[in-house]
Amino acid sequence: MASKPNDFHSLLSVFRDATAPNNSPAIQGSGPKTSASRGPRTDVMKSDKDEKYSEDNNSAIEQLVDPTSTTDPSYSASLMKEHIERLIQIHQIRKSTTSSSKCGRASSGGDTQLDMHIAVCATIVQDFPHEQLWRKWIEETGGNLEIFVGSVKNGKNMNEGKISAAAEHNTGSISRKSSIRINASAEMYVHAKNRERIQSEWLRSKTLPITHRPNWNDVRIIRAMLSLIEMALRDDRTTHILFCTESCIPVVTLKEATRSILLDEPCIWEENCSANSVEKIACDGINWDRSYVDCYDRNSHRCSRFDEHNCWGHLRDSIPAEAIFKALPGWCLLSRKHAQHIINLPLRLEGMNLWPAFEKVWAPEEVYFPTALNICGLMDEVIRRSVTHSKWNEKATNLKDRAHPICYDGYFDDGLVRRVRREGCLFLRKMKQSIVMDDWQDIVIHRRKMRDETLTESSGRSKREREQDANCDRADRRSDRDLRSGRDSEYRSRQDDYYHRRSYESIRYHDGYHYQKRRR
């Protein structure tokens, strides 16, 4: 009976925190910055001084731990679980007491000019084979595009659906209520394990001054990604953060990626759609606070026994099971608002870092970020869609082949790009070797259907030449088989006799083994 007053006071404290005026920077929304004004963002209810104070506190908490360490001496699993359960209760109370409203929408007033700036955060070892490709994507595929919001057709509000610019031009009966001009831009941020071995001057200028020395399947990958987020958020232009590796390449232009992210539209490559059709599009609204994470919980059919043991099992002492989510693939895209929530999460956990709980988790970065978003109460704003294509061979017998994504080296062509875009993805992984810049530019930027004799690999040989070599090899193998086995009918009869003999011998061996076992 003595514990009831303590429970009552604890619930009362949670209710007070949930209903108190919200001044925490981790709860406020974020949006784009207009091109006309480069001052503080007016849609965030905090000053630049408060934001810098919050970032300084997070950096101070992170600096208490050695950059190359996989543990935190001040971490406590039981206390972490208590803090997380308290946060979840606060979010549940706020969700039940506040009215749902869509945040991050662009206003439908007069014409405005906004900036969308993607921070491409790459974690590499030391090599970056697609450096020239990413430079061209950042410097030459961005620019201005126009989106019409609140279109009206015959007095009826067309906000219920999204209409292409081609349909608008053909009907001619749509009145444009307002338009938004968006300037699409991007910047590269790199975390390198071996920073001292980087040869490129451009890549060295984009690399963080700190390194956590992460290994494969290491919790320090989370620390590297958090350091990239902190560096990207220092730029006021940053609206979204994209995680990638050295084996990722874009399969859409920067303007196409901007449209797909803001409108949640798959960037399908249509046959009758020209490359300049993305300049003007119509939609029912823009959401700047969406994050794209293809995640699932333990109740999903995607959750396997391997996930239960190697993900949920290792976190049961630190995080409630219902709060754990896993993203596959883990290379996701976060909005600025959600990234700020994740960075400010230690301040809401009484100064404790969350990443030490994932030390023994398999592929910890795949579990950390969706779980952190759920702990922050933001899962309702997350789109369960991956913007990065990555597939695994689940039928592989070798564990190493199942652990690593499928590599597409030597298979880059317009068919692969079409398939990836048709799935709603904007980036492709895994491409370890560099590809010919002209081929990528013709397929992705100019949307040309490459012929076999024009599509080349890194060695300079065309795809048709490679197929001819493969056909010759198959013909040689067939001729060798015919010489060895004779005619096909004779070959099949010999095969049947061989299998019959093997079956009979295996049966005899099986019976003899059990007979000897019974005698023992």
Side-chain angles (χ1 to χ4, degrees):
M1 298 297 293
S3 61
K4 289 186 177 180
N6 295 331
D7 295 340
F8 174 77
H9 289 301
S10 177
L11 292 175
L12 182 61
S13 177
V14 170
F15 184 78
R16 287 176 178 174
D17 291 342
T19 57
N22 190 6
N23 296 322
S24 173
I27 306 298
Q28 305 303 330
S30 63
K33 181 183 288 188
T34 61
S35 299
S37 175
R38 296 290 179 179
R41 294 187 300 275
T42 58
D43 57 342
V44 181
M45 299 177 58
K46 60 187 178 69
S47 63
D48 292 341
K49 181 178 179 181
D50 295 335
E51 181 177 2
K52 188 175 186 305
Y53 175 76
S54 175
E55 293 177 355
D56 291 343
N57 283 346
N58 293 327
S59 300
I61 294 173
E62 193 67 23
Q63 288 175 0
L64 294 176
V65 186
D66 181 38
T68 60
S69 176
T70 59
T71 59
D72 186 355
S74 62
Y75 175 78
S76 174
S78 59
L79 290 178
M80 175 63 68
K81 193 169 186 177
E82 292 179 5
H83 297 329
I84 292 176
E85 290 175 348
R86 179 184 176 87
L87 278 180
I88 293 175
Q89 292 176 355
I90 291 175
H91 294 316
Q92 291 175 349
I93 294 174
R94 283 177 178 167
K95 186 176 180 179
S96 60
T97 56
T98 57
S99 59
S100 60
S101 61
K102 294 182 180 180
C103 59
R105 295 279 178 174
S107 60
S108 59
D111 295 348
T112 57
Q113 174 93 26
L114 300 174
D115 292 339
M116 177 171 173
H117 190 75
I118 301 176
V120 182
C121 298
T123 56
I124 68 173
V125 179
Q126 63 194 35
D127 297 327
F128 199 48
H130 307 296
E131 175 184 338
Q132 298 300 326
L133 190 149
W134 279 104
R135 292 183 65 176
K136 180 176 284 292
W137 186 79
I138 292 173
E139 297 171 0
E140 300 184 13
T141 65
N144 294 322
L145 67 150
E146 193 171 5
I147 299 178
F148 298 101
V149 181
S151 300
V152 178
K153 181 176 181 180
N154 297 330
K156 182 179 178 180
N157 190 0
M158 297 299 296
N159 291 341
E160 299 176 356
K162 300 171 183 175
I163 307 167
S164 63
E168 177 184 356
H169 177 72
N170 294 332
T171 57
S173 60
I174 298 178
S175 62
R176 298 161 182 170
K177 195 171 183 180
S178 64
S179 64
I180 298 177
R181 291 184 299 274
I182 297 177
N183 181 31
S185 60
E187 184 59 70
M188 176 70 69
Y189 299 89
V190 179
H191 176 279
K193 178 180 179 180
N194 302 320
R195 184 178 183 274
E196 64 279 358
R197 299 181 184 179
I198 296 178
Q199 302 294 332
S200 172
E201 293 291 339
W202 181 85
L203 186 61
R204 191 181 295 111
S205 65
K206 306 298 181 182
T207 305
L208 300 184
I210 187 175
T211 177
H212 297 281
R213 306 286 183 184
N215 297 321
W216 182 76
N217 197 23
D218 190 359
V219 71
R220 287 173 291 188
I221 298 177
I222 299 176
R223 303 193 64 186
M225 298 170 74
L226 292 175
S227 297
L228 288 169
I229 293 178
E230 290 182 0
M231 184 61 68
L233 292 179
R234 294 182 183 180
D235 190 351
D236 291 338
R237 300 176 302 166
T238 301
T239 59
H240 295 80
I241 294 176
L242 170 70
F243 292 116
C244 65
T245 64
E246 66 270 14
S247 61
C248 295
I249 62 171
V251 293
V252 297
T253 63
L254 183 51
K255 287 193 287 187
E256 290 174 331
T258 299
R259 178 189 71 175
S260 180
I261 293 170
L262 292 181
L263 305 180
D264 188 22
E265 286 183 349
C267 208
I268 299 177
W269 190 349
E270 299 292 347
E271 293 288 348
N272 57 356
C273 184
S274 63
N276 297 325
S277 63
V278 298
E279 298 294 335
K280 293 184 179 182
I281 49 182
C283 68
D284 61 345
I286 298 176
N287 194 325
W288 295 86
D289 293 338
R290 290 194 190 104
S291 290
Y292 292 85
V293 187
D294 188 12
C295 57
Y296 57 91
D297 58 4
R298 67 183 305 179
N299 297 323
S300 173
H301 69 279
R302 299 173 60 185
C303 182
S304 62
R305 290 186 178 180
F306 182 86
D307 294 335
E308 285 279 356
H309 182 267
N310 294 279
C311 298
W312 274 263
H314 292 306
L315 295 173
R316 62 175 178 265
D317 295 333
S318 304
I319 304 174
E322 63 274 9
I324 302 173
F325 279 75
K326 180 177 180 178
L328 203 64
W331 307 102
C332 54
L333 184 138
L334 302 176
S335 64
R336 184 185 182 95
K337 171 187 174 182
H338 294 174
Q340 191 68 57
H341 273 76
I342 294 175
I343 292 298
N344 291 337
L345 189 57
L347 298 178
R348 308 182 63 193
L349 296 175
E350 304 298 332
M352 295 178 59
N353 289 310
L354 180 62
W355 59 262
F358 297 79
E359 181 181 0
K360 298 181 180 180
V361 175
W362 179 271
E365 73 281 357
E366 296 177 353
V367 187
Y368 177 86
F369 288 96
T371 302
L373 290 173
N374 188 39
I375 292 174
C376 295
L378 300 171
M379 196 53 66
D380 293 339
E381 301 178 9
V382 173
I383 303 298
R384 308 289 180 91
R385 165 194 160 195
S386 177
V387 297
T388 301
H389 172 88
S390 186
K391 296 294 182 182
W392 285 261
N393 187 7
E394 298 179 353
K395 297 181 180 180
T397 57
N398 189 2
L399 177 61
K400 183 178 180 181
D401 295 335
R402 283 183 291 173
H404 295 280
I406 298 174
C407 185
Y408 294 100
D409 288 339
Y411 295 94
F412 181 79
D413 57 6
D414 61 302
L416 177 61
V417 173
R418 289 171 184 270
R419 179 163 61 89
V420 171
R421 295 172 62 134
R422 198 172 293 116
E423 293 177 0
C425 298
L426 312 177
F427 306 91
L428 171 64
R429 185 176 186 265
K430 188 174 191 179
M431 192 77 68
K432 291 197 225 178
Q433 300 177 1
S434 60
I435 60 178
V436 179
M437 179 63 67
D438 293 337
D439 292 345
W440 178 85
Q441 187 171 350
D442 290 337
I443 294 175
V444 175
I445 299 180
H446 303 300
R447 295 188 179 184
R448 294 174 183 171
K449 186 175 181 180
M450 304 300 295
R451 297 180 181 272
D452 293 343
E453 62 270 12
T454 60
L455 188 61
T456 58
E457 60 175 351
S458 58
S459 62
R461 298 168 61 244
S462 66
K463 185 177 180 181
R464 175 168 293 181
E465 292 174 352
R466 285 178 284 160
E467 290 181 352
Q468 290 175 355
D469 294 343
N471 293 333
C472 292
D473 294 338
R474 285 193 291 269
D476 293 340
R477 288 195 295 270
R478 285 196 299 269
S479 61
D480 293 340
R481 185 195 67 185
D482 294 338
L483 291 174
R484 183 177 63 253
S485 305
R487 297 291 182 181
D488 293 340
S489 59
E490 183 181 357
Y491 176 74
R492 284 195 296 270
S493 63
R494 291 182 179 180
Q495 286 278 44
D496 294 340
D497 294 340
Y498 171 76
Y499 287 132
H500 281 304
R501 288 197 304 271
R502 288 296 304 272
S503 301
Y504 177 71
E505 292 174 358
S506 63
I507 292 173
R508 289 184 60 189
Y509 174 78
H510 183 76
D511 294 341
Y513 171 77
H514 284 281
Y515 176 74
Q516 295 292 339
K517 189 175 180 181
R518 286 195 298 269
R519 290 191 62 182
R520 294 193 192 102

